[in-house]
Amino acid sequence: MPNIEYPAYPADTLLQLESLVPCRESQVSMLLSIFGERHQFSFPSIFIYGHTSSGKTYVMQTLLNTLKLPHVFVNCVEHFTSRLLLEEILIQLQKYSETEQTSHVSCDNFNDFVRYFKQAVANKELQDQTLYIVLDRAEQLREMEANILPAFLRLQELTDRNVTVVLLSEIVWELFRPNAGCFEPFTLYFPDYSIGHLQKILSQNHPSEYSGDFYAAYINILLGVFYMVCRDLKELQHLAVLNFSKYCEPVVRGEANERDTRKLWKNIEPHLKKAMQTVYLREISSTQWKRLQHDEGELGQLKGLSAHTHVELPYYSKFLLIAAYLASYNPVRTDKRFFLKHHGKIRKTNFMKKHEKTSNHLLGPKPFPLDRLLAILYSIVDKRVAPTANIFSQITSLVTLQLLSIVGHNDQLDGPRYKCTVSLDFIRAVAR
């Protein structure tokens, strides 16, 4: 008996569906209960969200195709304007039309779309069952006209047809909701795959010439190395296919059997460490990586960015580091003398506070406000610098790097009282 049960569909179909969507049985069961039977009106709009590679798109495509439900599947990134999006939906609806349309329909606004949509679903077959419109990467709808998202959420009401709009996104619904309000969709969350789920999914793709236990042991080693830095299912599938031939080398040469995990691990360990350098980056092609794997002796240096000993920082990041260093170690009263060309006459005095007699480098860096950092930056850069989002994003990146370095050395942070300082060691670490 399948774990997914619904009386409207045959048990063998549900069993096939369960085998195609492992570790997503609860989400599929929830969707089936929302969809109801074919002839029943479903919920007008459903919002499905979750992180990258959590199975949202794959589960929806597999569910609709396996159960043979009439649907339209559109990627909002590929059709990035409202006109392209509406026309693509109408084009895909033509396959359900009784009379094949010969001319392209131009759809300039949502009013025209509603009128053409009613004509397209006039087919008796579509009137007797629910039509599903799936909009993948739905966060792009926020960049379109203000009426597009609310209209899609109420499409069932506007057309008076049995249609359900499914939105797939990586962000939460609160970032979608318009200020003026709109119809609230049914929200469904797809959680990340756990390490056990990844083990089960990746182990299903084992080559036929090797046993399932042998490939499962390889996946266990792979996840032990990469799980802490990469939980993207697609990336892990790519890494599993890419490095499996190296794992099998001792078995192919007759130096070990499938149960000798110690020898197999010692053989593949240096190659997995090399592969850690290029996770997500795709700096070299699969062909180049396999060629490096088959080279005798040590693997050569990778030709990608992560293998470079010297990494060039963005232009303004260099000056931001310098400005932050100057702000950390120089007193505020010296800024006028150091960074202004016409600072006027400065009266010399031998009076120094007791703590100023000690070198600032021995006392350590001092906190400084953001306004002072930007003021020093504007004075040390040759050309005029506009306070754009690019500047602030680089400031955020540098602060994040410093916070990560502090978290790596301290168990707890005194968050509310923590202020940013930049030391010389931090600058050297970032430059490396």
Side-chain angles (χ1 to χ4, degrees), residues 91-110:
I91 289 172
Q92 292 193 30
L93 282 176
Q94 292 179 8
K95 62 184 178 182
Y96 299 107
S97 178
E98 294 178 348
T99 59
E100 188 171 343
Q101 195 164 346
T102 57
S103 60
H104 175 71
V105 177
S106 178
C107 184
D108 297 323
N109 52 63
F110 212 90

Side-chain angles (χ1 to χ4, degrees), residues 229-233 235 239 275-283:
V229 297
C230 174
R231 303 185 184 187
D232 190 318
L233 178 59
E235 185 73 19
L239 291 169
M276 284 276 286
Q277 301 177 12
T278 57
V279 173
Y280 292 117
L281 298 180
R282 297 286 194 274
E283 296 175 350

Side-chain angles (χ1 to χ4, degrees), residues 308-332:
H308 293 174
T309 56
H310 174 72
V311 178
E312 189 71 17
L313 290 173
Y315 178 76
Y316 288 117
S317 292
K318 302 175 189 176
F319 291 100
L320 281 169
L321 278 172
I322 296 172
Y325 175 73
L326 294 173
S328 292
Y329 285 100
N330 291 329
V332 179

